[in-house]
Amino acid sequence: MTATVIDQAVIVNWALAKIGSFATFSIDGDDDLSSQVNLTWQRCVDQCFGLADWSFLKRTFSLDRTAEAPINGWAYEFALPGGRIGDPLKIMAGTGRQPLRCYDIEGDHLYADEAAVRGTFKVYRDPEYWDPAFRAAFTTALAAYLAVPVAHDTDMRDLYHREAFGTPSKEGTGGLFGRLMAQNRAGAPIGHPLAAAAPLTGARTGGSWYGRY
């Protein structure tokens, strides 16, 4: 028996069923429902992905060094990977695991005095690779986003928004996602003991260090 691939259409139709809609969304649709979904999907993705450094979205890259000679005082320029979400979670020099703290970022490039640099980033992944509990919470959040444009029901929007993110006093850190965020933090690896003991040593020029565990 072939397993069903969980893609955007499947997630959207789960959310539509949750708000009591009998409509069916398809990726290549050009009807009013497709327009409403297209207006809300990315907003929901951005909000839910931005809540935490979700482990299933993390990926480590070897950064490509460019041929440009930096004019900002650093020895090397590296291209940051496309498709990343936000700032790097961790930057490392060479092949070691210890974080590199002395670097700078300008636009889509990273600058450092190390000849080889790797970085861990949060990246977009298709729904089939999402953690199942995250998919369930995301479906509830998407139902909240779709409740008004599809079902014209503000009470349902508020209900599912509270279920997904908690009450307004939680500022988006409660509900289903609040529990997932706590689990995500609890499962995070412990940082390098010496690096953690001296957080200001070799700090990145120009502000906060991006690569805190």
Side-chain angles (χ1 to χ4, degrees):
M1 182 176 177
T2 304
T4 301
V5 175
I6 301 176
D7 57 9
Q8 178 185 358
V10 171
I11 299 287
V12 170
N13 287 321
W14 286 350
L16 289 172
K18 198 172 182 71
I19 63 174
S21 173
F22 296 102
T24 301
F25 169 78
S26 62
I27 298 295
D28 55 357
D30 59 359
D31 53 4
D32 182 63
L33 175 63
S34 298
S35 298
Q36 297 296 343
V37 169
N38 291 333
L39 286 172
T40 57
W41 174 265
Q42 191 59 47
R43 290 164 53 209
C44 192
V45 166
D46 290 345
Q47 180 178 7
C48 297
F49 279 22
L51 289 172
D53 297 333
W54 305 109
S55 58
F56 65 92
L57 297 180
K58 291 181 181 180
R59 183 178 173 188
T60 299
F61 298 83
S62 292
L63 302 188
D64 293 329
R65 196 172 74 204
T66 73
E68 298 294 325
I71 61 172
N72 53 12
W74 296 96
Y76 303 104
E77 177 186 79
F78 299 86
L80 294 172
R84 69 190 183 280
I85 300 173
D87 293 325
L89 305 177
K90 184 179 179 181
I91 295 296
M92 298 156 285
T95 59
R97 293 186 295 113
Q98 186 168 346
L100 175 67
R101 298 190 176 187
C102 194
Y103 65 89
D104 202 2
I105 290 177
E106 296 181 9
D108 291 329
H109 293 90
L110 180 144
Y111 298 89
D113 292 330
E114 301 287 341
V117 172
R118 291 172 296 125
T120 300
F121 299 83
K122 193 162 55 174
V123 299
Y124 179 81
R125 303 194 75 190
D126 291 329
E128 64 178 305
Y129 302 109
W130 297 357
D131 178 84
F134 181 92
R135 276 200 299 260
F138 182 91
T139 300
T140 299
L142 186 60
Y145 272 90
L146 293 173
V148 171
V150 175
H152 311 290
D153 192 327
T154 56
D155 290 338
M156 186 183 297
R157 176 199 60 194
D158 296 343
L159 171 67
Y160 287 135
H161 192 276
R162 285 195 303 271
E163 185 179 335
F165 303 110
T167 59
S169 65
K170 293 292 185 180
E171 298 182 343
T173 62
L176 295 172
F177 276 107
R179 289 190 286 275
L180 290 177
M181 292 162 66
Q183 293 169 10
N184 192 72
R185 287 192 299 269
I190 298 174
H192 189 284
L194 294 180
L200 298 181
T201 303
R204 186 177 76 88
T205 300
S208 301
W209 171 50
Y210 287 9
R212 184 79 177 177
Y213 295 94

